[in-house]
Amino acid sequence: MSVGKIFKFHNDLDTDQIIASQYLLLPTIDEMKGHAFESLDPEFPAKVKPGDFVVGGENFGCGSSREQAPGVLKALGVQAVVAKSFARIFYRNAINIGLPVIVCRQLPDHVSTGDEMDLSLTEGWAAANGNTYPCTKLPPYMQQILSQGGLIASLNKEEA
């Protein structure tokens, strides 16, 4: 992983706040991504750059099970989502499409939007503002799934 800018969001962030239901009618994730976080920060899609991070509090990605929520974040180039905890279905959908989702209980209370962060999936830490925080250390099989583009892509490669 590499250093990226943080975009911080609140506890209990709902999938409808990531991508509102009216945009699910658009034919592709590429068309949907321009509406990510529209109700919270309409400029988010223009400001976020490939390699940046989304940071949240407790229960990130709660609400409906729409897989487009992690999909638009990945399509915008978000390197990983780091939060205190995740809604189960958002976590599963993110892994399925290859978007790293990392539990880091302490970091969200000590960072703000615009701060820079470095993240190590292999060693299980995040660093920001001169401090290093312990995070989920992904086991090698999970890292392999993510590096292959998600669970579906990984399974397709195994069948080939």
Side-chain angles (χ1 to χ4, degrees), residues 34-139:
H35 301 282
F37 292 116
E38 192 170 86
S39 67
L40 300 174
D41 181 0
E43 300 302 313
F44 176 81
K47 293 187 293 190
V48 69
K49 302 290 180 246
D52 286 343
F53 297 97
V54 168
V55 172
E58 300 279 357
N59 201 26
F60 188 95
C62 60
S64 70
S65 62
R66 64 183 62 139
E67 63 190 35
Q68 295 92 340
V72 295
L73 299 180
K74 183 178 180 185
L76 285 166
V78 169
Q79 185 173 168
V81 179
V82 177
K84 290 183 177 187
S85 66
F86 290 91
R88 180 185 50 82
I89 194 72
F90 180 89
Y91 188 90
R92 180 178 300 215
N93 284 337
I95 296 300
N96 284 349
I97 65 157
L99 176 67
V101 279
I102 306 299
V103 174
C104 195
R105 305 261 333 138
Q106 299 169 359
L107 175 120
D109 290 335
H110 301 280
V111 297
S112 301
T113 293
D115 292 347
E116 287 196 342
M117 181 174 84
D118 191 8
L119 177 68
S120 174
L121 298 179
T122 56
E123 297 177 31
W125 56 260
N129 300 324
N131 296 302
T132 301
Y133 303 93
C135 300
T136 302
K137 182 178 177 182
L138 295 181

Side-chain angles (χ1 to χ4, degrees), residues 5-24:
K5 188 164 71 166
I6 291 172
F7 290 86
K8 184 177 173 183
F9 295 94
H10 54 79
N11 289 338
D12 301 310
L13 186 95
D14 192 288
T15 54
D16 200 49
Q17 293 172 306
I18 299 170
I19 185 71
S21 59
Q22 69 260 30
Y23 300 117
L24 301 180

